[in-house]
Amino acid sequence: MDRTNGNNVPAFTTDPWVRSAWIAFFTLFAIWGLSYFIRHAFGKPDAYNRGNPNTTGAAAVDDPEAAAAGTDKKGRWGLHHDTLSDRFARSHHVLRDNTLMLLSVLTLNTFGAGSTRAVMILAWIFFAFTVIHALTELAINHHFIRLFFNLLFYALTLAIGGLAFKYGWYTHGSIF
């Protein structure tokens, strides 16, 4: 991209790499919307108001004393036996949080007319790992898995933001 004319956002947004990065965002947004529907379509009526997606439905509704004491039924290896509704809620939260993170850094990159191809590649990597993490949340409830994925997402968003500032935010050859 020619940077001699300064920050040219309209020309930047016509770049096919930039378009593809935003397609990754929109695809993630569409999956987030689908999870929003699925979460409410197949969840229990009390799941939306419960507040804590890790508390089992039986403890929250059937046994108020256990719910007040904060005791959860734990199975083998101390993992929670959670409902399908809890799993969909966790997956939905992953999709929501990552959609907003990707929106933030893509907006920063686009308004700054930053990197094109590298950001597109990172956006699709971010998308792929978000889908994997959302599916993992449907199957496994473990904090080390969340830690790994969240460190990965943080690193990817820092990389996209760094590229936005490294290659963008120029006005006639100067940042001021």
Side-chain angles (χ1 to χ4, degrees), residues 54-137:
N54 292 325
T55 304
T56 61
V61 177
D62 297 337
D63 190 1
E65 291 176 7
T71 58
D72 290 332
K73 296 179 182 179
K74 293 187 177 184
R76 192 174 184 184
W77 301 299
L79 298 176
H80 294 280
H81 288 285
D82 46 8
T83 64
L84 188 59
S85 174
D86 295 332
R87 293 169 186 236
F88 275 122
R90 282 195 319 269
S91 180
H92 170 78
H93 291 303
V94 165
L95 291 167
R96 178 198 61 209
D97 294 346
N98 285 5
T99 299
L100 295 176
M101 286 175 61
L102 187 58
L103 174 65
S104 299
V105 292
L106 285 181
T107 301
L108 179 71
N109 188 61
T110 300
F111 282 132
S115 181
T116 56
R117 185 173 184 215
V119 168
M120 182 272 305
I121 292 168
L122 290 173
W124 281 106
I125 290 171
F126 188 93
F127 168 81
F129 278 110
T130 297
V131 170
I132 292 168
H133 183 39
L135 293 174
T136 302
E137 284 295 330

Side-chain angles (χ1 to χ4, degrees), residues 10-74:
F12 178 80
T13 57
T14 61
D15 188 296
W17 302 116
V18 174
R19 182 176 185 268
S20 183
W22 280 101
I23 289 171
F25 164 76
F26 183 73
T27 307
L28 185 57
F29 178 80
I31 293 172
W32 174 33
L34 180 64
S35 79
Y36 184 79
F37 162 74
I38 291 172
R39 180 176 65 127
H40 291 291
F42 299 106
K44 294 182 296 192
D46 66 324
Y48 184 77
N49 296 319
R50 224 180 2 210
N52 182 0
N54 292 325
T55 304
T56 61
V61 177
D62 297 337
D63 190 1
E65 291 176 7
T71 58
D72 290 332
K73 296 179 182 179
K74 293 187 177 184

